[in-house]
Amino acid sequence: MYRSQQSRNAPSASGMDDANERKELALQQAEDALWKIPRSLEGIKRKDFNPVQLALQMMDTSSLGKSYDEFHESYERLNMSLDGIVDEYYAGFNDSILTFSGLQERIQD
């Protein structure tokens, strides 16, 4: 009886495939968002990026300044794609945190 209950509660192969496809799609959307960052804002991808410098350039209203609208559009696109990643991966992360917490409590006892 336990074996039949276990098989009913286990996710189906197609359910796992759907979850994996959603995860892949979320990652692909984030990668696409990175590729769609305008050339004028390419510097935000660098490790040595200085946000103050970009903010000052966006305050420059001349043609030499950076466009806040372009920045905001890129920000929104990245934010939405990261939200999608979080939505798809939070359950596994949450489960691992609970497992770690439980193990830590047992070790401390």
Side-chain angles (χ1 to χ4, degrees):
M1 181 156 177
Y2 175 73
R3 183 173 244 168
S4 64
Q5 286 177 340
Q6 188 177 18
S7 64
R8 273 188 284 152
N9 294 334
S12 66
S14 66
M16 291 295 283
D17 289 343
D18 290 344
N20 288 337
E21 286 177 17
R22 287 193 311 270
K23 288 178 181 179
E24 281 296 317
L25 179 61
L27 292 173
Q28 184 61 47
Q29 287 173 339
E31 189 173 327
D32 290 347
L34 286 172
W35 280 103
K36 290 180 182 176
I37 291 176
R39 188 174 206 65
S40 62
L41 297 173
E42 282 287 321
I44 66 174
K45 295 180 186 178
R46 293 192 330 248
K47 284 186 178 185
D48 63 343
F49 169 65
N50 183 354
V52 174
Q53 184 179 10
L54 177 62
L56 290 172
Q57 289 172 343
M58 284 193 287
M59 291 175 66
D60 182 0
T61 57
S62 72
S63 62
L64 300 175
K66 303 284 186 186
S67 168
Y68 174 77
D69 293 335
E70 279 184 343
F71 173 79
H72 188 69
E73 189 176 308
S74 296
Y75 167 81
E76 287 298 322
R77 195 173 17 250
L78 278 170
N79 194 40
M80 286 176 39
S81 65
L82 291 175
D83 284 346
I85 291 171
V86 169
D87 288 345
E88 293 304 323
Y89 284 89
Y90 81 93
F93 178 75
N94 191 34
D95 290 346
S96 65
I97 293 295
L98 290 173
T99 300
F100 175 78
S101 181
L103 288 172
Q104 186 178 23
E105 284 178 16
R106 288 184 181 183
I107 288 171
Q108 289 177 351
D109 287 345

